[in-house]
């Protein structure tokens, strides 16, 4: 397989599983093109042109050795050491989940989709956008100073193709859980927790010491309307959103991880906070994408915290 095809197919899967409509995604690309067109020649040369066709600024090819891909090492957080292991094991490609390189610097752009997701759950779009604006600028400043090219440079020096897939995978786990939850009729938070605990990645997370956990609310609470507002869209959103979600009729939020500041605000708003667990949730998203390539004969080596589960034969 060609690296370009793996990249393009991952984006396609990300779009298919995006909570936003195709129209909204296209609108985002149209706005980016408008900004690009307004730039002068000098700034056009500096612009990341992938943004014109790929709606996920946190997903990029970082190095392409040109070799055809048969064996891939996949991790949630790849280190330079993992790249050496990949070389030792004869992998032609390394895929990381979390954004690195220019994809880390693009994390703020992808966060804009959170506003559309919140609107889908009943929060007025103007409120969602207003609250996110401050948080997005915080994230942009937070990643600005980071040395985001350490592993990218190592992959180039080793001659190993290097790709990271972030939001397309997070979209996939969000859509997957939403579809499964939609079919159920949970009364209590405990029933939602029991359901999560049947998913193999979460079972493995439990064995590894980070099972799905309740951060706010109780198992005996009525679950109410469940929202999956925090599993995709770059990183954690605004702490002020929980009160708005509660006003919009949401009883329970399923998330991957949560800061203490956001947890306190969720508790105050009487939202049940189900933390499905971070790395296992990221793994589900990656697994759903990788199954597509596994069917085409790609050999997958799990690394860097990644919990590999295949759903090609059996569905959970
Ligand atoms: Fe993720
Ligand atoms: Fe993550």
């Amino acid at each position: 397989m060609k690296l370009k095809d793996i990249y393009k197919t991952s984006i396609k899967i990300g779009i298919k599983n995006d909570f936003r409509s195709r129209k909204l995604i296209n609108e985002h690309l149209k706005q980016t093109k408008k900004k690009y067109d307004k730039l002068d020649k000098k700034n056009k040369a500096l612009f990341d042109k992938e943004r014109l066709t790929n709606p996920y600024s946190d997903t990029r090819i970082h190095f392409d050795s040109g070799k055809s891909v048969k064996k891939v090492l996949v991790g949630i957080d790849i280190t330079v050491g993992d790249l050496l292991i990949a070389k030792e094991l004869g992998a032609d490609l390394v895929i990381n989940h979390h954004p690195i390189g220019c994809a880390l610097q693009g994390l703020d752009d992808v966060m804009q989709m959170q506003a559309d997701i919140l609107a889908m759950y009943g929060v007025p779009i103007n409120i969602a956008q207003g609250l996110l604006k401050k948080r997005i600028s915080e994230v942009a400043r937070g990643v600005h100073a980071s040395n985001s090219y350490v592993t990218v440079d190592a992959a180039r020096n080793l001659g190993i193709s290097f790709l990271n897939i972030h939001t397309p995978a997070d979209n996939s786990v969000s859509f997957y859980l939403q579809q499964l939850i939609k079919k159920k009729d949970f009364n209590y938070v405990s029933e939602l927790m029991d359901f999560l605990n049947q998913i193999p990645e979460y079972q493995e997370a439990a064995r590894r010491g980070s099972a799905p956990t309740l951060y706010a609310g109780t198992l005996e609470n009525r679950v109410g309307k469940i929202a999956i507002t925090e599993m995709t869209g770059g990183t954690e959103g605004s702490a002020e959103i929980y009160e708005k979600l509660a006003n919009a009729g949401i009883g329970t939020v399923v998330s991957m991880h949560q800061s203490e500041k956001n947890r306190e605000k969720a508790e105050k708003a009487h939202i049940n906070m189900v933390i499905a667990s971070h790395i296992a949730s990221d793994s589900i998203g990656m697994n759903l994408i990788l199954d597509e390539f596994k069917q085409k004969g790609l050999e997958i080596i799990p690394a860097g915290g990644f919990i590999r589960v295949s759903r090609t034969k059996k569905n959970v």
Side-chain angles (χ1 to χ4, degrees):
M1 292 183 80
K2 281 188 185 152
L3 173 57
K4 263 252 154 35
D5 293 335
I6 295 174
Y7 171 67
K8 280 187 182 162
T9 304
S10 305
I11 292 164
K12 229 186 252 174
I13 297 172
I15 291 172
K16 194 181 91 197
N17 292 328
D18 202 306
F19 280 167
R20 296 170 297 174
S21 63
R22 270 309 265 274
K23 202 176 150 205
L24 272 175
I25 298 170
N26 287 339
E27 183 56 35
H28 179 74
L29 290 172
K30 230 165 85 183
Q31 292 300 323
T32 309
K33 174 82 168 64
K34 257 190 195 169
K35 277 183 211 159
Y36 173 74
D37 287 340
K38 277 185 195 155
L39 297 174
D40 58 22
K41 208 176 157 192
K42 221 163 66 185
N43 283 308
K44 266 186 181 149
L46 298 173
F47 190 86
D48 170 16
K49 289 183 193 62
E50 280 297 311
R51 288 194 184 206
L52 300 173
T53 50
N54 171 358
Y56 309 115
S57 50
D58 59 359
T59 298
R60 286 291 182 273
I61 291 175
H62 300 283
F63 176 70
D64 187 353
S65 71
K67 274 188 214 156
S68 134
V69 183
K70 292 187 190 78
K71 205 190 253 191
V72 55
L73 184 130
V74 183
I76 303 299
D77 292 294
I78 288 291
T79 62
V80 172
D82 287 317
L83 291 171
L84 289 167
I85 293 170
K87 184 113 185 153
E88 180 77 22
L89 298 176
D92 323 288
L93 167 68
V94 172
I95 305 179
N96 193 36
H97 173 60
H98 285 137
I100 36 149
C102 62
L104 179 65
Q105 302 300 337
L107 196 59
D108 55 321
D109 185 66
V110 95
M111 287 178 76
Q112 292 178 37
M113 70 187 280
Q114 289 186 30
D116 290 316
I117 295 172
L118 289 162
M120 197 185 91
Y121 283 105
V123 177
I125 188 74
N126 54 312
I127 293 178
Q129 269 195 320
L131 290 177
L132 270 167
K133 209 175 166 188
K134 187 172 163 251
R135 176 70 187 133
I136 289 174
S137 63
E138 269 172 26
V139 170
R141 286 192 298 275
V143 295
H144 189 261
S146 56
N147 185 1
S148 50
Y149 274 74
V150 173
T151 40
V152 174
D153 287 340
R156 189 175 36 79
N157 284 327
L158 285 165
I160 293 187
S161 294
F162 196 24
L163 162 73
N164 94 281
I165 306 171
H166 193 231
T167 289
D170 288 345
N171 281 354
S172 299
V173 57
S174 303
F175 188 73
Y176 176 73
L177 291 177
Q178 190 212 41
Q179 292 304 104
L180 288 177
I181 288 170
K182 227 163 73 176
K183 288 184 201 147
K184 312 275 178 184
D185 189 19
F186 300 129
N187 250 321
Y188 299 100
V189 174
S190 60
E191 292 168 8
L192 171 60
M193 297 297 284
D194 289 345
F195 157 77
L196 291 175
N197 282 314
Q198 283 167 25
I199 295 174
E201 285 89 341
Y202 293 135
Q203 288 176 339
E204 180 57 24
R207 284 189 281 271
R208 295 182 182 191
S210 50
T213 307
L214 197 56
Y215 271 25
T218 69
L219 289 172
E220 296 77 28
N221 278 358
R222 296 285 296 273
V223 76
K225 195 173 169 193
I226 301 167
I228 302 176
T229 45
E230 299 190 2
M231 285 222 160
T232 192
T235 187
E236 187 175 78
S238 167
E240 309 307 320
I241 206 64
Y242 300 104
E243 190 200 326
K244 310 296 174 197
L245 277 169
N247 290 343
I250 299 299
T252 300
V253 171
V254 181
S255 187
M256 283 199 198
H257 50 81
Q258 192 179 44
S259 68
E260 204 48 33
K261 182 183 164 196
N262 284 32
R263 194 200 72 79
E264 279 166 19
K265 293 278 186 181
E267 195 165 50
K268 215 171 150 199
H270 306 286
I271 296 257
N272 302 305
M273 274 309 309
V274 173
I275 306 301
S277 103
H278 181 192
I279 305 306
S281 301
D282 280 340
S283 293
I284 296 174
M286 291 299 279
N287 281 324
L288 292 166
I289 289 180
L290 288 167
D291 281 349
E292 176 79 21
F293 307 120
K294 174 82 192 196
Q295 275 170 330
K296 289 177 182 155
L298 202 71
E299 190 184 330
I300 297 159
I301 307 166
F306 172 50
I307 302 163
R308 173 67 185 146
V309 173
S310 169
R311 288 177 174 77
T312 48
K313 284 185 194 134
K314 189 179 84 166
N315 246 315
V316 182

